[in-house]
Amino acid sequence: MSTHCYIGATSPDNPHLVHARFVLFDGHPAVVLPTLAAIWDGHVDHDTAALITAILAHDWEYLDPDITATTRSAFPGQRPVPGVGMTLASEAEPSEPVTVFPLCHARHLDTEWIYLVEADTATIAVYSSDGTSVATYPLATCQHAGSTDRGERPCGPRPTVGARP
């Protein structure tokens, strides 16, 4: 069974309105946080705004910083984006528009996790399926996080106020 998630950002003008993309596989924090950090480190050279742009370009089957232009999907027509991941839509289909939702309505989505990349602080805010803030992680501390079990913290957190353990 896969863990679905949304990854995106908010704008400074309206921090409660999320612009995000759906990711079908490997949406657990133990996978997503080090993967986003690796994309940030390798593909966009620590440019957090560029990370947001890359993620918002497509809905994703999965994210993987080791994807190359020659990587093939098990599903015909899906397109690799080198250094980022495998798109969910095929080459023949246009990308779906970015999903936009108020964070307070997250519970209505078919997802277990929501990740918001914060460009000005180079952090990732993690939210549960109901939009509850769990923690905020600096991208720099997630770069070499290694593998973790679901019960372990994937990288050095900066807990948010009122976050649950």
Side-chain angles (χ1 to χ4, degrees):
M1 182 174 200
S2 67
T3 302
H4 308 285
C5 70
Y6 278 90
I7 303 173
T10 60
S11 71
D13 301 343
N14 194 347
H16 300 289
L17 194 61
V18 175
H19 294 78
R21 287 298 192 163
F22 181 75
V23 180
L24 182 61
F25 293 111
D26 294 335
H28 192 273
V31 175
V32 170
L33 294 168
T35 299
L36 286 174
I39 295 167
W40 174 73
D41 185 40
H43 181 70
V44 299
D45 196 29
H46 297 173
D47 183 341
T48 311
L51 174 63
I52 293 167
T53 299
I55 296 300
L56 292 181
H58 305 278
D59 285 328
W60 300 94
E61 180 182 349
Y62 61 93
L63 297 174
D64 183 348
D66 297 327
I67 290 285
T68 67
T70 60
T71 304
R72 296 290 167 236
S73 172
F75 302 102
Q78 289 184 309
R79 185 167 62 87
V81 177
V84 182
M86 187 66 67
T87 65
L88 193 55
S90 74
E91 294 173 352
E93 301 170 9
S95 289
E96 293 290 325
V98 170
T99 301
V100 179
F101 58 92
L103 190 55
C104 63
H105 289 200
R107 68 187 170 281
H108 299 295
L109 301 171
D110 179 24
T111 192
E112 294 183 46
W113 299 99
I114 299 165
Y115 303 91
L116 299 180
V117 181
E118 299 174 6
D120 57 339
T121 60
T123 58
I124 304 168
V126 180
Y127 295 85
S128 63
S129 61
D130 64 358
T132 301
S133 178
V134 175
T136 300
Y137 297 90
L139 281 162
T141 64
C142 295
Q143 287 180 5
H144 308 289
S147 63
T148 60
D149 293 329
R150 288 184 182 258
E152 296 178 23
R153 294 206 183 271
C155 44
R158 186 181 76 208
T160 55
V161 175
R164 60 185 180 181

